[in-house]
């Protein structure tokens, strides 16, 4: 996988590959995946999307076309959302899949947008646990109280978070959904519920109310918004448009809030409690079996993208009992895949494999294992199997110590181990530490003894190979030189006033203060991106070097007026071809810098990118030397 920077192009390419806007029923995202529900599947779409720069892999499961992108999925989803107006598809039936698939898709769409908020709150709770252990009396301070209520706020008002995301998923008015869900966590209702629990009878229209509270609840607000979507559509169809803006919210609220506290809330709460108790029965009566199943198979569940389905059960455990063992075993499974990646890094001779492993291992430290799975462990097969075996053994050993999490972890992993500390169950953290030690060490040992297998993933050059790229790959040399696409005064990147380019975050390269008006091709290759405002162009050489030429620093604000682009996405070109012409005087007249960064955006895939120490350059002068691994 190569890095992607042009998120709008990637979004457009994905949309085209899956059949266009008319074939998309729904689109959502989670921490690493763009999740699409399509009317018709296209057998060729998967291969096309997998070949795109920035895509890790594609998984078709649960009635969804899941594009695994990684940490930039949010940017791609934002661009994709601009291209697909989901409200135009709400009456389409399409292929909605089985009930189970639709439930899992709903859980993903609802929880993914705010999972990092819950994760941040969980980390804060873990930090408070550590601090109170280190500093006696800290729990009695006002500082502790402030941080404590901050950490609990997202969970206390969880129904409101759910109302926001669920309203978008079910295509209903977000403000009505929030108002109805806010009523569920109203302090007045909490006080009424406490009176009912203590024995007082409170009725609504003659019907006795139950003492169910809804702070930290999942299913009641979720079902509330789901049913609200039908109620709202019914009211919109049958109500005069003059009174609709006022009375649709009015009737929605006076119907849905009482219906929830009378029927929906008690029933769905019983369902969540029942599922949680079913798992807890297994964990308490056969802890080794529970540990083996979760520690060994959790990452298999992650592959198919159905892991969001357990979220209501886990949150129910924390709400009811203040602890949960599922996330304890889940953490060990995550760490086992990180251990498998570490084993590959230590065993591999290829520098490219090591680099991919380091990147994947770092994301694994934050509880996100898709890059580790698709980039390393599943790619070589053996490491994934060793990781699952090690996760199962680690969780089985940990099960002897009654491991629990006492604070919710949005993304269970190494950083959330402190959530297993409690003075009430002191053995818990020891079980977690022993289990995770096994999960890290055992796959490393197994990989050193038995190897990590053959690379089963297609290489980038296999995906869309042309005769030119085939010839280039056959004659690959150790070093490749690139002439400058722009003539003028040469500047180092750290000399320009731009944090992104100047920091090197985009890749290695240099900048030019142009003395001409042309951008010429520095090598033979293909155009991979032309910015909509024409100020930037992305190129790929026949050997795979990706070069970004960004004319001016803030020229995006000129809406393309100074630029004439002579090529389009996908065009092939020869070295020396004029790619773009720009009016340098017009740019200067708008008080905008003409300084033009020239960046190798996939620098990380090479051993080094060297910049020649020239003060002045033109389109015949070598400026970059790319050193292959």
């Amino acid at each position: 996988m190569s890095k992607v920077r042009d998120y709008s192009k990637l979004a457009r390419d994905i949309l085209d590959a899956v059949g266009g806007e008319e074939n998309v029923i729904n689109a959502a995202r989670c921490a690493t995946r763009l999740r699409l529900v399509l009317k018709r599947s296209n057998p060729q779409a998967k291969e096309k999307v997998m070949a795109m720069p920035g895509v890790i892999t594609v998984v078709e499961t649960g009635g969804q076309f899941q594009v695994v992108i990684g940490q930039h999925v949010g940017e791609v989803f934002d661009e994709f959302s601009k291209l697909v107006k989901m409200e135009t598809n709400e009456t389409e039936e399409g292929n909605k899949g089985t009930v189970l698939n639709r439930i899992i898709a709903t859980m993903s769409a609802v929880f993914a947008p705010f999972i990092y908020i819950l994760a941040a709150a969980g980390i804060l709770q873990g930090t408070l646990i550590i601090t109170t252990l280190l500093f006696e009396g800290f729990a009695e301070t006002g500082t502790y109280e402030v941080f404590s209520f901050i950490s609990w706020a997202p969970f206390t008002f969880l129904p409101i978070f759910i109302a926001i995301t669920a309203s978008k998923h079910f295509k209903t008015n977000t403000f009505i959904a929030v108002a109805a869900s806010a009523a569920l966590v109203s302090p007045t209702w909490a006080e009424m519920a406490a009176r009912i629990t203590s024995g007082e009878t409170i009725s609504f229209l003659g019907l006795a109310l139950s003492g169910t509270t809804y702070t930290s609840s999942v299913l009641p607000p979720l079902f509330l918004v789901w049913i609200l979507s039908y109620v709202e559509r019914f009211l919109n169809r049958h109500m005069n448009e003059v009174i609709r803006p006022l009375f649709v919210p009015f009737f929605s609220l006076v119907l849905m809030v009482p219906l929830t506290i009378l029927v929906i809330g008690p029933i769905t709460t019983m369902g969540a409690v029942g599922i949680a108790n079913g798992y807890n029965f297994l964990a308490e009566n056969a802890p080794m079996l529970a540990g083996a199943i979760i520690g060994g198979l959790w990452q298999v569940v992650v592959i198919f993208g159905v892991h969001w389905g357990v979220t209501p059960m886990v949150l129910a455990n924390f709400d009811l009992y203040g602890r949960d063992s599922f996330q304890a075993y889940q953490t060990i499974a995550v760490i086992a895949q990180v251990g498998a990646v570490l084993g590959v890094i230590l065993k591999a001779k290829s520098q490219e494999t090591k680099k991919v492993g380091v990147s994947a291992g770092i994301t694994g430290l934050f509880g996100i294992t898709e890059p580790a799975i698709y980039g390393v462990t599943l790619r070589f097969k053996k490491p994934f199997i060793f990781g699952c075996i090690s996760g199962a053994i680690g969780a089985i050993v940990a099960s002897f110590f009654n491991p629990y999490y006492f604070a919710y972890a949005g993304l269970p992993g190494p950083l959330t181990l402190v959530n297993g500390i409690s003075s009430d169950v002191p053995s818990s953290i020891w079980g977690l530490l022993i289990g995770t030690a096994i999960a890290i060490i055992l796959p490393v040992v197994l990989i050193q003894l038995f190897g990590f297998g053959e690379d089963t993933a297609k290489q980038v050059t296999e995906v869309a190979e042309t005769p030119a790229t085939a010839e280039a790959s056959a004659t690959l040399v150790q070093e490749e030189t690139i002439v400058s696409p722009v003539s003028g005064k040469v500047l180092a990147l750290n000399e320009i006033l731009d944090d992104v380019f100047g920091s090197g975050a985009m890749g290695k390269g240099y900048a030019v203060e142009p003395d001409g008006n042309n951008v010429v091709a520095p090598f033979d290759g293909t155009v991979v991106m032309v910015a909509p405002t024409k100020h930037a162009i992305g190129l790929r050489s026949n050997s795979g070097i990706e070069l970004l030429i960004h004319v001016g620093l803030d020229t995006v604000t000129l809406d393309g007026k100074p630029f004439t682009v002579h090529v389009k996405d996908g065009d092939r070109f020869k070295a020396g071809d004029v790619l773009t012409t720009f009016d340098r005087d017009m740019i200067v007249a708008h008080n905008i810098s003409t300084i033009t960064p020239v960046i190798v955006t996939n620098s990380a895939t090479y051993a080094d990118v060297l910049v020649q120490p020239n003060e002045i350059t033109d389109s015949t002068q070598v400026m970059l030397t790319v050193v292959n691994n």
Side-chain angles (χ1 to χ4, degrees):
M1 181 197 74
S2 59
K3 293 183 180 179
V4 58
R5 297 293 179 183
D6 189 354
Y7 306 117
S8 60
K9 181 180 185 303
L10 179 57
R12 289 195 305 271
D13 290 345
I14 293 172
L15 183 60
D16 291 342
V18 300
E21 180 181 358
E22 64 277 4
N23 195 40
V24 179
I25 297 173
N26 200 3
R29 56 153 291 200
C30 59
T32 57
R33 307 176 190 220
L34 175 66
R35 295 168 176 260
L36 308 178
V37 179
L38 307 177
K39 296 178 189 175
R40 300 171 303 278
S41 60
N42 181 351
Q44 297 178 340
K46 183 175 181 179
E47 289 297 324
K48 288 181 180 178
V49 176
M50 285 177 64
M52 295 176 184
V55 173
I56 297 173
T57 190
V58 173
V59 179
E60 292 185 273
T61 186
Q64 295 181 335
F65 187 90
Q66 302 177 8
V67 185
V68 184
I69 295 171
Q71 61 180 335
H72 297 297
V73 67
E75 292 92 332
V76 178
F77 175 73
D78 290 342
E79 295 298 331
F80 194 90
S81 299
K82 297 175 184 176
L83 302 174
V84 179
K85 295 178 174 59
M86 301 311 306
E87 63 269 20
T88 62
N89 290 333
E90 65 181 83
T91 59
E92 298 286 352
E93 293 184 3
N95 177 24
K96 294 184 178 179
T98 65
V99 172
L100 179 61
N101 289 342
R102 292 163 64 184
I103 290 173
I104 292 170
T106 298
M107 292 300 173
S108 171
V110 169
F111 287 102
F114 59 79
I115 193 65
Y116 286 110
I117 303 300
L118 299 186
I123 290 175
L124 178 54
Q125 291 180 14
T127 303
L128 291 175
I129 291 173
I130 290 291
T131 307
T132 54
L133 289 175
L134 295 177
F135 300 98
E136 185 178 355
F138 177 70
E140 308 301 324
T141 65
T143 302
Y144 173 88
E145 289 186 84
V146 170
F147 282 128
S148 180
F149 81 68
I150 291 173
S151 73
W152 281 108
F155 300 100
T156 301
F157 299 102
L158 184 60
I160 295 177
F161 285 86
I162 291 172
I164 295 170
T165 54
S167 65
K168 295 178 181 178
H169 180 70
F170 294 122
K171 302 178 180 65
T172 191
N173 186 297
T174 298
F175 295 103
I176 298 175
V178 168
S181 296
L184 299 183
V185 293
S186 165
T188 301
W189 172 249
E191 184 268 332
M192 292 173 64
R195 287 159 49 198
I196 294 170
T197 303
S198 65
E200 183 179 343
T201 299
I202 302 177
S203 62
F204 176 81
L205 299 178
L207 300 173
L209 298 173
S210 69
T212 307
T213 54
Y214 299 103
T215 53
S216 304
S217 65
V218 172
L219 296 185
L222 186 59
F223 275 81
L224 182 157
V225 177
W226 175 46
I227 297 173
L228 171 64
S229 67
Y230 291 98
V231 171
E232 185 187 349
R233 281 196 289 271
F234 175 83
L235 293 172
N236 281 325
R237 282 196 301 266
H238 294 87
M239 193 171 289
N240 185 284
E241 63 181 9
V242 175
I243 63 172
R244 191 182 298 162
L246 175 61
F247 285 97
V248 168
F250 171 76
F251 285 112
S252 295
L253 289 173
V254 298
L255 176 64
M256 290 309 306
V257 175
L259 182 63
T260 300
I261 61 177
L262 281 168
V263 181
I264 298 173
I267 292 176
T268 56
T269 299
M270 287 175 58
V273 171
I275 295 171
N277 286 340
Y279 162 75
N280 293 334
F281 179 83
L282 174 66
E284 292 170 6
N285 292 278
M288 292 177 60
L289 178 59
I293 292 173
I294 301 166
L297 299 179
W298 177 249
Q299 294 302 300
V300 177
V301 174
V302 171
I303 289 176
F304 294 103
V306 296
H307 46 299
W308 294 99
V310 304
T311 304
M313 179 198 76
V314 170
L315 287 169
N317 266 339
F318 282 107
D319 185 36
L320 293 168
Y321 309 112
R323 65 186 189 183
D324 171 68
S325 64
F326 192 99
Q327 287 203 318
Y329 297 131
Q330 185 181 350
T331 297
I332 294 172
V334 168
I335 291 175
Q337 289 300 313
V338 176
V341 170
L342 178 60
V344 172
I345 293 171
L346 295 175
K347 184 74 171 178
K349 296 181 180 179
S350 166
Q351 291 299 314
E352 175 64 18
T353 300
K354 289 179 181 288
K355 286 180 180 178
V356 173
V358 170
S359 176
I362 290 172
T363 59
L365 295 177
F366 294 93
I368 301 173
T369 53
E370 280 93 335
I373 292 172
Y374 295 116
V376 181
T377 62
L378 194 61
R379 169 181 166 186
F380 294 101
K381 289 187 177 178
K382 278 187 180 180
F384 183 76
I385 296 171
F386 292 154
C388 291
I389 292 171
S390 303
I393 294 174
I396 289 172
V397 173
S399 70
F400 289 99
F401 297 83
N402 296 318
Y404 290 101
Y405 263 24
F406 299 91
Y408 178 80
L411 297 169
L415 298 182
T416 62
L417 282 171
V418 295
N419 293 14
I421 298 175
S422 172
S423 58
D424 295 331
V425 189
S427 63
S428 171
I429 186 61
W430 290 110
L432 279 167
L433 292 175
I434 295 171
T436 54
I438 294 170
I440 292 175
I441 297 171
L442 185 56
V444 173
V445 173
L446 291 174
I447 289 171
Q448 305 317 301
L449 292 176
F450 301 106
F452 54 81
E454 297 296 324
D455 189 348
T456 60
K458 290 185 178 181
Q459 301 302 314
V460 175
T461 53
E462 297 174 345
V463 174
E465 193 169 54
T466 65
T469 58
E471 179 182 354
S473 62
T475 59
L476 187 66
V477 294
Q478 187 62 28
E479 294 184 353
E480 298 177 67
T481 57
I482 302 174
V483 299
S484 182
V486 182
S487 63
K489 180 183 177 182
V490 177
L491 301 170
L493 290 181
N494 58 16
E495 294 182 76
I496 64 178
L497 299 177
D498 184 280
D499 291 339
V500 176
F501 292 118
S503 67
M506 291 285 290
K508 296 181 179 180
Y510 63 100
V512 177
E513 191 169 345
D515 57 14
N517 296 290
N518 290 330
V519 175
V520 299
F523 44 59
D524 295 350
T526 306
V527 178
V528 295
M529 181 277 292
V530 176
T533 50
K534 304 177 185 179
H535 68 290
I537 186 168
L539 312 176
R540 183 185 294 119
S541 73
N542 289 340
S543 63
I545 298 171
E546 296 181 0
L547 196 72
L548 173 68
I549 305 161
H550 193 286
V551 182
L553 295 182
D554 293 306
T555 42
V556 65
T557 60
L558 299 178
D559 200 28
K561 294 176 183 177
F563 302 97
T564 301
V565 181
H566 306 290
V567 291
K568 61 181 183 301
D569 290 1
D571 281 358
R572 295 196 58 77
F573 54 80
K574 294 289 185 181
D577 290 351
V578 177
L579 304 175
T580 300
T581 303
F582 56 94
D583 188 333
R584 189 159 48 95
D585 293 335
M586 182 185 294
I587 296 173
V588 173
H590 283 82
N591 295 318
I592 294 176
S593 172
T594 60
I595 291 176
T596 300
V598 180
I599 307 292
V600 177
T601 55
N602 60 342
S603 299
T605 63
Y606 296 96
D608 205 353
V609 177
L610 306 175
V611 181
Q612 298 301 315
N614 300 326
E615 295 183 2
I616 303 292
T617 187
D618 58 33
S619 58
T620 65
Q621 200 163 15
V622 172
M623 277 302 303
L624 295 173
T625 300
V626 178
V627 182
N628 293 295
N629 291 310

